[in-house]
Amino acid sequence: MIPLAFSTNAFKKHSVQQAIDAIAMAGYAGVELMADIPHVYPPHFDTTARKQLQGTISRGNVQVSNLNAFTLFAEGDTYHPTWIEDDAALRLKRVDHTIRCIELAADFESKTVSLQPGGPLIGTGISRGVASERFADGLRAVLPVARQNGVILAIEPEPGLLIQTSREYLEFKQRFFADEPLVRMNCDIGHLFCVGEDPVQIIRTMPEQIAHIHLEDIAENRVHQHLAPGKGVIDFPQIFAALKEVRYPGWVTVELYPYEDSAARVAQAAYRHLHLLAR
């Protein structure tokens, strides 16, 4: 059976404790923690808060599937500060945030931290080559902490950012981190579909690169808008069949952040839609 989790980033109008309780009640085996305000932003999350949350997780009988370090609302917005800013001080904020997220992931026994793939490139005036070098430099700065804690840095391709496709991820990986097992991919099924790729084929052809999976539905027009499973055209039976075929050993986390006003209900509906496929 492939374990299913749900991300707390759909519960931004609730506390992280309320989110975990709702996710556990829906039937999920795991919970992805949003490493940002209002949930587990590391500078605001001291030792006492961490112990309290570990108790909540234990009582819910769930595990942490992933530490989501993509956004940085506490310092900027969904994307900023990025790994590729012209301002070195802003790049350092992203590096420092990621280091703290790795340490937080280790505290909650998460094997992965999912990362923004560099940041938005269009309109910045930054060349792809320079942006790639900056992103690689940032990852090199956090890798010692990742190695110390045994946490995988999972780059998440996303439409409109430096790395949009699995092909671009692989080019970046082979150029800068070909022999680094702790740099891998957070495979977001919907994102790959949005950029014209076949997620089923990606699972079958590069399973060794996939450290964690995000799951959501996408409309037929391939617009990047996360939809609840069953509301779009993603072929979930084929997705899970491919994961079983390659013996994928990790988590599948449902990520439905647009549903802030109905997070618990949507989490329950997504579980009902997916849990039989995961068996």
Side-chain angles (χ1 to χ4, degrees):
M1 180 167 179
I2 297 170
L4 292 177
F6 195 89
S7 181
T8 69
N9 65 8
F11 288 84
K12 289 190 283 293
K13 293 185 177 180
H14 300 78
S15 71
V16 67
Q17 290 83 4
Q18 290 171 327
I20 291 168
D21 288 342
I23 291 166
M25 188 173 297
Y28 292 91
V31 55
E32 176 187 84
L33 299 177
M34 182 179 72
D36 202 348
I37 57 172
H39 287 173
V40 292
Y41 180 53
H44 298 172
F45 215 66
D46 61 17
T47 301
T48 299
R50 296 182 191 203
K51 288 182 178 178
Q52 290 173 343
L53 190 61
Q54 286 166 340
T56 301
I57 291 168
S58 179
R59 286 191 298 274
N61 196 30
V62 291
Q63 300 176 49
V64 176
S65 64
N66 178 56
L67 205 291
N68 191 330
F70 194 110
T71 62
L72 194 40
F73 299 120
E75 296 281 353
D77 57 29
T78 301
Y79 300 115
H80 301 90
T82 74
W83 299 88
I84 63 174
E85 309 271 5
D86 279 327
D87 187 334
L90 292 178
R91 299 199 301 271
L92 183 59
K93 283 188 175 184
R94 176 59 70 169
V95 167
D96 288 344
H97 174 63
T98 305
I99 287 173
R100 293 184 181 194
C101 287
I102 292 167
E103 294 167 344
L104 185 63
D107 283 348
F108 287 96
E109 299 183 348
S110 172
K111 296 179 180 179
T112 55
V113 170
S114 56
L115 306 178
Q116 172 197 104
L121 186 60
I122 296 173
T124 64
I126 304 168
S127 72
R128 171 166 290 276
V130 168
S132 297
E133 291 282 357
R134 288 176 180 174
F135 186 29
D137 285 345
L139 293 180
R140 292 187 189 103
V142 306
L143 261 171
V145 182
R147 292 190 185 109
Q148 181 180 351
N149 290 281
V151 172
I152 295 169
L153 305 176
I155 299 169
E156 181 177 335
E158 176 165 322
L161 304 191
L162 172 64
I163 297 173
Q164 302 186 81
T165 67
S166 63
R167 177 183 57 80
E168 290 174 344
Y169 157 77
L170 201 56
E171 289 173 351
F172 178 84
K173 163 82 173 180
Q174 291 174 341
R175 178 180 176 189
F176 296 105
F177 299 101
D179 298 320
E180 178 51 69
L182 293 184
V183 174
R184 292 168 64 193
M185 180 171 65
N186 186 58
C187 179
D188 189 298
I189 298 301
H191 292 180
L192 298 182
F193 180 76
C194 286
V195 297
E197 294 192 309
D198 178 355
V200 171
Q201 186 67 11
I202 300 305
I203 291 168
R204 287 176 173 154
T205 57
M206 47 192 296
E208 73 286 349
Q209 295 296 334
I210 300 173
H212 177 256
I213 286 178
H214 272 160
L215 198 67
E216 69 279 343
D217 218 338
I218 298 290
E220 188 174 6
N221 60 12
R222 298 182 187 256
V223 171
H224 180 206
Q225 176 68 25
H226 289 215
L227 301 176
K231 301 298 184 182
V233 297
I234 298 294
D235 191 338
F236 292 109
Q238 286 298 312
I239 294 293
F240 281 96
L243 291 171
K244 293 172 185 177
E245 180 182 315
V246 302
R247 299 180 183 275
Y248 170 66
W251 287 92
V252 169
T253 296
V254 182
E255 191 191 28
L256 296 175
Y257 57 82
Y259 293 87
E260 293 182 18
D261 292 326
S262 56
R265 178 171 55 81
V266 169
Q268 292 168 2
Y271 184 80
R272 288 195 298 268
H273 192 89
L274 299 171
H275 80 280
L276 292 179
L277 297 176
R279 286 187 176 177

